[in-house]
Amino acid sequence: MGLTKQSVGMGAVDSGLEIKKQTPDDKIIAIAGNPNVGKSTLFNNLTGMNQHTGNWPGKTVTNAQGYCKTKEHSYVLVDIPGTYSLMAHSAEEEVARNFICFGGSDGVVVVCDATCLERNLNLVLQTMEISDRVLVCVNLMDEAARKNITIDLKGLSEKLGVPVAGTIARKKRSLDQLMKQLDDLVEGTQTASPYQVEYSPIIEQAIAMAEPAVKARVEGKVSSRWLTLKLLDSDPSLMKELREYLNEDILEVPEISLALSQAREHLAKYGITNEILKDRIVAALVASAEKICRDTVQFHKNGYNEGDRKLDKILTSRFTGYPVMIGMLAVVFWLTITGANYPSQMLADALFRLQDQLTKAFMAAGAPQWLHGLLILGVYRVLAWVVSVMLPPMAIFFTLLEDSGYLPRIAYNLDKPFKSCHACGKQALTMCMGFGCNAAGIVGCRIIDSPRERLIAMITNNFVPCNGRFPTLIAIISMFFVGVSGGAFDSMLSALLLTLFIVLGVCMTFLVSKALSMTVLKGIPSSFTLELPPYRRPQIGKVIVRSIFDRTLFVLGRAIAVAAPAGLLIWVMANVQVNGITLLAHCSGFLDPFARLLGMDGVILMAFILGLPANEIVIPVLIMAYTAQSSITDFKSLSSLHTLLLGQGWTVSTAVSMLILCVLHWPCATTLLTIKKETHSLKWTALAFLLPTCMGFLLCFLVTCAFRIFS
């Protein structure tokens, strides 16, 4: 699952699957493939931004649909979950299998990685057992050429008995041949005779005994040979879907029941149990894939992946993996800090120029001052600030992590620590997604199959700070521990200190995950398959542009739904007075005694509370309260902000408490709403709120006590 508006937006939380055709003649095409083969890249380049998403019915697995046209046909492309097999061991495999079987698609495009075709053919062969309208897309042909791998596409097509197209999904021009072959496939002008996997003679005899009865009942609806095999291996996940599709329980048909009993007796006579049958099916698939590749794939250089393996020895080693990971994270943060300043400033300038124009429009219309204050100085000003601060760091951070192939290596390194906490290694991936947006990390927890482990990942995701908290962390670190000159050395030191606080958040994630798994969420950790994709040079320009387009709507949706009401509330609190004192000052004064115990003051704590809708506004609210302004305001420079804070009694102890609370406090409103929608439970949502908050308060109190004792 990519971190896009389609995959992590609020609409992805609760919408159901519905194939939406633009015209009645649209052809439905399923896009299948293993993870990390370029399936999403192919889908995005074919459909552009003409996409929408939802959930598969009854599953927390996201689907994406998009549209594209050729001269001959218009298509609805359905990006089904990446999976290694259709033998249904996970929710992703179930929905992939069910859509291919029962989704009513006019064809299936199976995307394969040209650099490891043999492993990918396992899925191709399974798909061809279900459908005869299959087009094999051998992607990453450029990487295969770079590694001196030659693939005989024509020979592969002859062996498989279905059309085969070679592509470089990143380059749209390479997709023309694919679409031409897709036109031929749906028109039926290209005769297909899919390769049939041959199983052992005993299994083939069992299939022959039961298939005639099955075929008589399902002919024209489902592949009878494939269904017979699934009925023999007693796949329980298939039965419910099959009953709904056929409107009957096929196992209750006397002829079929009798034939299956005879076939199972035949298998039992030779000692073939259900487990042995499944093993032999897998073995036959592997052997067939190996046989096909032996004749069609040539490796001209034995050490074709030697470079990747050498890098993996460093990046995934038990001795060097963690230091390198922390170092690379610091580099990414430095690039994000230095690189995001310029687009953030440009975006802020544009949005606040628009504010001036809106103000003039309000004055020209003779609108009352209070209405201008509410809508422009309150709602719009907060929206502008959130978008300008949040968007560029998100784009840069995930461009560097997602497109390089390093993110799965981070998950591999962290798999063992998570296992020791009795959590799932996939939590490492969702935690990394949380660096960009905790709400995205929560939705990303859908990749974890175990409900127990999914809950642990959701509850602890907020312990890693999202990019909305980065500006606050960076500002405090720069002013009190680095300096405000803004040189290259200062920015590098800021990135290093920021990384240390990130490591604190990661350590707290491990600690709380362990505590949860030993108390309210006891259980045994599950295993998972993780493929390490090849290293790629990030297409920085292209990915940043797509990242901005994909995420802009998500950010704006979040801002409108959550930050806009917050802007209104902030303006009211800063402008409405009781006994000559603003509501904001009253609330800050009320919180001050408790905040002093934590090493802060009431204004700081109030800024965090008002920052519940969006962490990006904590510093602006802080400045507004200290300077008694009527709306949130920016600081002219770190130096002037530093002077302001020192004038309000800030010390190093205050700065440390501020940093701790910034890392460890309640999730933002969007994250809480997402947790509620994903868990359907107020109890778990409340726990996700209280855990980081209580731990943050406790740690702030202990640090403050230490400062007071030793100062």
Side-chain angles (χ1 to χ4, degrees):
M1 174 184 305
L3 181 61
T4 66
K5 182 263 177 182
Q6 283 75 30
S7 64
V8 304
M10 295 305 295
V13 176
D14 57 4
S15 59
L17 176 65
E18 180 185 354
I19 302 296
K20 298 178 181 179
K21 292 185 176 183
Q22 293 182 319
T23 69
D25 296 328
D26 284 357
K27 305 294 183 181
I28 301 170
I29 303 297
I31 309 293
N34 290 180
N36 300 311
V37 298
K39 183 167 64 71
S40 295
T41 303
L42 176 75
F43 176 81
N44 289 333
N45 275 342
L46 288 175
T47 61
M49 298 303 299
N50 196 13
Q51 306 169 8
H52 63 93
T53 62
N55 280 355
W56 300 89
K59 305 287 183 184
T60 53
V61 179
T62 303
N63 73 82
Q65 299 172 41
Y67 308 94
C68 68
K69 289 183 179 180
T70 65
K71 291 181 179 179
E72 305 297 330
H73 297 285
S74 57
Y75 296 99
V76 181
L77 303 183
V78 182
D79 188 10
I80 65 178
T83 179
Y84 296 100
S85 170
L86 298 179
M87 299 185 76
H89 295 113
S90 69
E92 288 85 356
E93 293 174 3
E94 282 187 26
V95 298
R97 177 203 64 197
N98 293 342
F99 189 76
I100 293 172
C101 282
F102 315 121
S105 63
D106 297 287
V108 183
V109 175
V110 185
V111 185
C112 302
D113 184 346
T115 64
C116 49
L117 185 61
E118 183 178 324
R119 183 175 70 244
N120 287 200
L121 282 185
N122 190 319
L123 181 64
V124 173
L125 294 171
Q126 291 181 62
T127 304
M128 292 194 305
E129 287 188 317
I130 299 173
S131 173
D132 59 356
R133 288 179 172 260
V134 176
L135 168 60
V136 178
C137 170
V138 183
N139 191 35
L140 301 171
M141 293 293 290
D142 55 336
E143 292 197 15
R146 182 169 57 85
K147 295 178 178 181
N148 290 319
I149 302 172
T150 302
I151 300 174
D152 179 6
L153 296 177
K154 185 178 179 182
L156 182 63
S157 178
E158 291 172 354
K159 292 281 185 183
L160 292 174
V162 297
V164 175
T167 64
I168 305 171
R170 297 183 176 200
K171 300 179 180 179
K172 287 187 178 182
R173 287 178 296 178
S174 73
L175 305 180
D176 294 340
Q177 182 62 27
L178 173 75
M179 298 309 295
K180 184 179 182 303
Q181 289 185 282
L182 185 59
D183 285 340
D184 293 341
L185 180 70
V186 299
E187 288 174 2
T189 56
Q190 194 166 352
T191 305
S193 181
Y195 178 92
Q196 183 173 295
V197 177
E198 291 187 11
Y199 301 101
S200 67
I202 299 169
I203 296 175
E204 288 290 346
Q205 290 166 10
I207 293 173
M209 294 172 67
E211 187 182 3
V214 175
K215 187 175 182 180
R217 203 74 179 188
V218 302
E219 190 171 12
K221 298 178 181 177
V222 186
S223 168
S224 58
R225 176 180 170 85
W226 171 81
L227 181 56
T228 301
L229 199 60
K230 294 292 102 181
L231 293 173
L232 286 174
D233 79 3
S234 304
D235 187 347
S237 67
L238 181 64
M239 295 300 104
K240 180 183 176 183
E241 301 292 338
L242 192 63
R243 282 195 298 270
E244 291 179 0
Y245 181 68
L246 298 175
N247 290 319
E248 67 172 338
D249 189 348
I250 195 169
L251 295 177
E252 293 183 356
V253 178
E255 296 84 357
I256 295 176
S257 179
L258 178 62
L260 288 174
S261 296
Q262 293 172 345
R264 290 193 182 105
E265 288 176 4
H266 174 75
L267 293 172
K269 186 167 67 175
Y270 294 94
I272 299 178
T273 62
N274 278 344
E275 289 301 318
I276 294 174
L277 177 62
K278 290 176 181 178
D279 289 343
R280 293 193 179 182
I281 290 172
V282 172
L285 289 167
V286 171
S288 297
E290 183 181 359
K291 179 183 176 183
I292 293 169
C293 284
R294 195 184 304 127
D295 300 328
T296 57
V297 182
Q298 289 185 319
F299 298 89
H300 301 285
K301 182 180 177 182
N302 290 331
Y304 70 94
N305 61 348
E306 188 176 344
D308 285 1
R309 299 292 74 83
K310 285 181 179 178
L311 275 175
D312 281 341
K313 285 181 180 179
I314 300 172
L315 299 181
T316 62
S317 165
R318 76 170 61 175
F319 302 108
T320 60
Y322 293 109
V324 172
M325 182 174 66
I326 294 172
M328 291 189 69
L329 194 61
V331 171
V332 171
F333 283 137
W334 176 72
L335 291 171
T336 303
I337 291 168
T338 56
N341 287 336
Y342 302 104
S344 283
Q345 189 60 52
M346 291 172 60
L347 193 55
D349 291 342
L351 291 172
F352 284 112
R353 277 198 300 271
L354 179 58
Q355 176 190 306
D356 295 336
Q357 299 302 315
L358 291 172
T359 297
K360 291 178 181 178
F362 265 71
M363 291 176 65
Q369 192 65 33
W370 65 266
L371 184 61
H372 170 262
L374 278 174
L375 297 181
I376 305 303
L377 300 181
V379 175
Y380 179 83
R381 198 171 181 85
V382 169
L383 294 182
W385 181 267
V386 169
V387 173
S388 62
V389 171
M390 178 182 185
L391 202 56
M394 182 186 285
I396 295 173
F397 186 86
F398 279 96
T399 295
L400 296 169
L401 277 183
E402 281 184 327
D403 208 42
S404 65
Y406 186 55
L407 192 58
R409 271 82 181 176
I410 294 176
Y412 177 83
N413 289 334
L414 296 178
D415 178 50
K416 194 170 182 179
F418 275 114
K419 284 278 182 68
S420 66
C421 300
H422 285 220
C424 179
K426 288 182 180 180
Q427 188 174 335
L429 292 170
T430 65
M431 183 179 68
C432 290
M433 293 176 70
F435 286 125
C437 176
N438 291 127
I442 299 299
V443 177
C445 294
R446 296 173 175 182
I447 65 175
I448 301 173
D449 296 320
S450 165
R452 182 190 70 85
E453 293 170 340
R454 194 184 310 130
L455 272 173
I456 292 175
M458 289 182 186
I459 293 168
T460 60
N461 191 268
N462 187 68
F463 283 97
V464 294
C466 66
N467 74 77
R469 288 182 258 179
F470 286 175
T472 303
L473 290 167
I474 294 165
I476 301 300
I477 288 171
S478 300
M479 289 184 293
F480 287 89
F481 303 99
V482 176
V484 296
S485 61
F489 177 78
D490 287 350
S491 62
M492 291 176 65
L493 187 56
S494 294
L496 182 59
L497 291 174
L498 175 62
T499 303
L500 293 177
F501 276 94
I502 299 301
V503 171
L504 168 65
V506 173
C507 292
M508 296 303 297
T509 301
F510 291 140
L511 179 64
V512 177
S513 295
K514 180 73 172 181
L516 288 171
S517 65
M518 293 177 65
T519 53
V520 293
L521 292 170
K522 290 182 180 179
I524 300 173
S526 61
S527 59
F528 75 103
T529 302
L530 177 66
E531 181 178 5
L532 299 181
Y535 293 100
R536 301 186 179 101
R537 207 179 333 171
Q539 293 183 307
I540 294 179
K542 182 177 179 181
V543 178
I544 283 182
V545 170
R546 180 144 199 109
S547 174
I548 290 173
F549 276 103
D550 277 350
R551 294 173 183 125
T552 295
L553 292 177
F554 175 50
V555 173
L556 291 178
R558 166 187 166 177
I560 294 170
V562 180
L568 191 145
L569 175 64
I570 291 169
W571 188 88
V572 169
M573 293 192 69
N575 288 271
V576 175
Q577 297 186 357
V578 178
N579 297 325
I581 302 174
T582 64
L583 293 176
L584 182 60
H586 277 293
C587 293
S588 300
F590 175 78
L591 294 172
D592 195 71
F594 176 71
R596 296 288 177 184
L597 294 174
L598 307 179
M600 297 176 287
D601 59 34
V603 172
I604 300 173
L605 192 54
M606 194 65 205
F608 275 107
I609 293 172
L610 291 176
L612 174 67
N615 289 299
E616 294 87 348
I617 63 175
V618 170
I619 288 290
V621 172
L622 196 69
I623 299 170
M624 180 188 71
Y626 280 147
T627 57
Q629 298 289 319
S630 60
S631 62
I632 65 167
T633 184
D634 194 5
F635 48 91
K636 295 180 180 179
S637 66
L638 283 178
S639 177
S640 61
L641 178 59
H642 188 215
T643 303
L644 172 65
L645 298 180
L646 290 176
Q648 296 295 326
W650 277 52
T651 63
V652 172
S653 173
T654 311
V656 172
S657 294
M658 178 81 171
L659 290 170
I660 292 172
L661 194 60
C662 192
V663 175
L664 300 174
H665 72 280
W666 48 83
C668 71
T670 303
T671 303
L672 290 172
L673 287 172
T674 308
I675 294 172
K676 173 62 173 62
K677 289 191 176 186
E678 291 291 297
T679 63
H680 305 289
S681 170
L682 286 173
K683 178 182 70 173
W684 297 118
T685 306
L687 186 61
F689 179 95
L690 291 172
L691 267 177
T693 304
C694 292
M695 297 191 73
F697 285 171
L698 178 62
L699 194 55
C700 284
F701 175 74
L702 294 175
V703 169
T704 301
C705 290
F707 266 101
R708 290 169 180 171
I709 292 171
F710 295 105
S711 61

